[in-house]
Every structure is written in structure tokens, then in C-alpha cells.
């Protein structure tokens, strides 16, 4: 698992979120000790014990990096929000939140609140001052159907498959995104 970060990130880059998540969850299930919740370099699965490499900071770091890439990713001057989140996270009204995530563009917090009965997903974004990315891509892949349209602060926004895309200069202060599914 310490060496699969590049594979996982490449899957995420190509939109293969299910393969990314399989790698992430697989690293947590197989590559963690049962008692210390620390990643290991070598596991003897047939004997049920780990080599004496604990804690293995490189493996731990890669798992944390994959978790961050699920929620916030910067690449090629763009900011991606929720690029690797599981669809199941948008199946209930509970949703999920990210608070005070440091990025190249300032600190960002967001909350995703699904409304399955209305076939909507709402997202509130709060940012601190920072440089603007060229684009912001918000992946809101829900099991509610096809993402048909979206608004940002009440104005129509661009939709590309399961992603709301907008100019990075809009990323100031607070934003409210509403995604409509068909």
C-alpha cells in the first residue's frame, strides 16, 4: 500500500473514483495493524502479524494523502472539492463536511447536504483570502440520477457530468451551490 499512492492518484485523475476508493479502503483494511491503527510496510497475512517496521511513517503519510485527495485536491492550477468521495456519502441527509483545509488558494471549509427526497444536493463553501485557482471543480456524484443543472448563489453554473465547474475568481467568501438531479 505504501507504493500504490501513485496508482490511486492516477485513477482519481482519470475519473475512476471506484478504483481510487478500492485502493484507499484496501490500504486501510489490509495495511493497518489491528491494535495501533498504524500502517505497516510488510504484513504476513498467512501468519497474521506484521514485520517490525512500526510505525511506518511513509505508509501512514500515503494513507493520509489519499484521504486528503478524496476531499481536496489541487492540480494544474485548479482546485477540486470532493473529487474522490463515495457516492454513498450523498445517499442520506447526513452528508459530510471539511473544515479549515489548507490549500494553495487559502483555507477552505465546505459542507455537503444531500436532500434525496427533493433530488438535490446542497453545498456551502467558506474560504479565506488567497490567490484564486484558474477553475474550481466540485464533484457531487450522487445516487440520485444524472446531475442535470446547478446554481451558485442562485445563478446558473456549468455542469460537466457529475461535476460543477466555475471560474476560480468566484471563490471568495461564502458560496452556496445547489445541484439538481434528474
Amino acid at each position: 500500500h505504501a507504493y500504490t499512492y501513485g496508482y490511486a492518484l492516477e485513477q482519481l485523475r482519470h475519473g475512476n473514483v471506484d478504483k481510487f476508493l478500492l485502493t484507499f479502503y484496501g490500504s486501510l483494511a489490509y495495511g493497518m495493524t489491528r491494535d495501533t491503527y498504524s500502517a505497516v510496510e510488510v504484513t504476513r497475512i498467512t501468519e497474521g502479524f506484521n514485520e517490525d517496521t512500526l510505525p511506518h511513517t511513509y505508509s501512514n503519510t500515503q494513507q493520509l494523502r489519499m484521504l486528503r485527495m478524496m476531499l481536496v485536491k489541487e492540480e494544474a492550477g485548479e482546485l477540486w472539492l470532493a473529487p474522490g468521495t463515495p457516492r454513498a456519502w450523498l445517499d442520506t441527509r447526513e452528508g459530510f463536511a471539511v473544515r479549515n483545509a489548507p490549500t494553495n488558494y487559502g483555507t477552505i471549509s465546505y459542507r455537503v447536504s444531500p436532500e434525496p427526497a427533493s433530488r438535490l444536493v446542497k453545498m456551502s463553501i467558506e474560504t479565506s483570502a488567497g490567490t484564486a485557482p484558474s477553475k474550481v471543480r466540485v464533484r457531487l456524484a450522487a445516487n440520485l440520477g444524472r446531475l442535470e443543472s446547478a446554481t451558485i448563489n442562485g445563478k446558473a453554473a456549468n455542469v460537466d457530468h457529475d461535476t460543477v465547474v466555475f471560474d476560480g475568481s468566484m471563490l471568495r467568501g461564502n458560496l452556496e451551490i445547489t445541484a439538481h438531479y434528474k
Side-chain angles (χ1 to χ4, degrees):
H1 63 282
Y3 307 102
T4 59
Y5 173 75
Y7 167 80
L9 184 55
E10 198 61 25
Q11 294 305 318
L12 192 57
R13 280 186 182 126
H14 291 288
N16 299 324
V17 176
D18 289 342
K19 288 183 179 180
F20 169 81
L21 290 170
L22 179 64
T23 304
F24 176 68
Y25 287 133
S27 75
L28 294 177
Y30 175 74
M32 299 283 281
T33 61
R34 293 181 187 187
D35 299 327
T36 61
Y37 305 104
S38 175
V40 297
E41 183 175 18
V42 179
T43 299
R44 298 200 181 250
I45 194 164
T46 56
E47 291 88 8
F49 69 89
N50 301 309
E51 293 292 333
D52 295 328
T53 59
L54 293 172
H56 195 254
T57 54
Y58 182 74
S59 298
N60 288 326
T61 301
Q62 297 304 60
Q63 287 178 339
L64 290 171
R65 289 177 74 188
M66 280 192 280
L67 176 61
R68 184 181 193 279
M69 291 297 169
M70 282 175 66
L71 303 169
V72 177
K73 179 175 80 128
E74 302 106 324
E75 192 162 327
E78 297 182 352
L79 177 65
W80 287 71
L81 301 178
T85 54
R87 288 179 181 273
W89 288 12
L90 299 178
D91 282 350
T92 67
R93 291 187 54 81
E94 295 162 3
F96 65 97
V98 172
R99 300 202 196 295
N100 300 319
T103 73
N104 293 336
Y105 311 105
T107 302
I108 192 159
S109 297
Y110 67 84
R111 171 125 187 87
V112 178
S113 304
E115 296 182 10
S118 303
R119 302 182 73 76
L120 298 173
V121 173
K122 294 186 176 182
M123 180 179 198
S124 57
I125 303 172
E126 298 174 18
T127 63
S128 67
T131 60
S134 61
K135 285 197 184 319
V136 178
R137 297 181 184 273
V138 178
R139 181 175 170 271
L140 295 172
N143 288 320
L144 300 174
R146 182 177 62 85
L147 178 57
E148 183 176 52
S149 64
T151 60
I152 301 174
N153 292 345
K155 296 181 181 178
N158 293 327
V159 170
D160 181 15
H161 294 62
D162 59 5
T163 305
V164 179
V165 182
F166 57 95
D167 188 88
S169 64
M170 292 178 65
L171 195 66
R172 297 280 183 247
N174 299 333
L175 297 175
E176 296 292 328
I177 297 174
T178 303
H180 306 266
Y181 296 81
K182 183 175 185 178

